Amino acid sequence: MFVIASTYTRPFSRDEPVVSEHLAFVDRCYDDGKFVASGPRQPFTGGLIIAHGDSEDQVRALMQEDPFVRVGVAHYEFMHFRPSKAIHPDLIES
């Protein structure tokens, strides 16, 4: 499992087309079972994603598809971890 932290690299308006493209990307990742949880950080400086992935290379490649990366709105940092305890059994990796 991975924690993916984004940091916004430039100001942007929620009305920009890239925002709806990013949200469609996020929805697709949930539909594909890749994302477990996501949302904006507070204050609004970036976001966090908890994601399933077999390798960091695989998760990095996935996140390169995010429209925020394509247009330079955000960059990502990746932290790999193996949950040993969680409130929901689907979150525990053996």
Side-chain angles (χ1 to χ4, degrees), residues 25-92:
F25 166 78
V26 169
D27 287 344
R28 188 174 72 248
C29 289
Y30 275 103
D31 291 345
D32 293 345
K34 293 179 176 19
F35 286 3
V36 175
S38 63
R41 294 185 344 209
Q42 302 299 318
F44 191 67
T45 58
L48 286 176
I49 300 166
I50 299 175
H52 290 290
D54 294 329
S55 70
E56 187 170 330
D57 288 342
Q58 177 192 52
V59 174
R60 284 180 180 275
L62 171 67
M63 297 312 294
Q64 285 298 310
E65 298 174 23
D66 184 351
F68 273 7
V69 172
R70 185 187 72 240
V71 301
V73 169
H75 77 272
Y76 289 102
E77 296 177 53
F78 301 85
M79 294 157 271
H80 189 196
F81 78 109
R82 186 170 305 279
S84 58
K85 188 172 184 174
I87 196 162
H88 195 283
D90 289 347
L91 298 175
I92 298 172

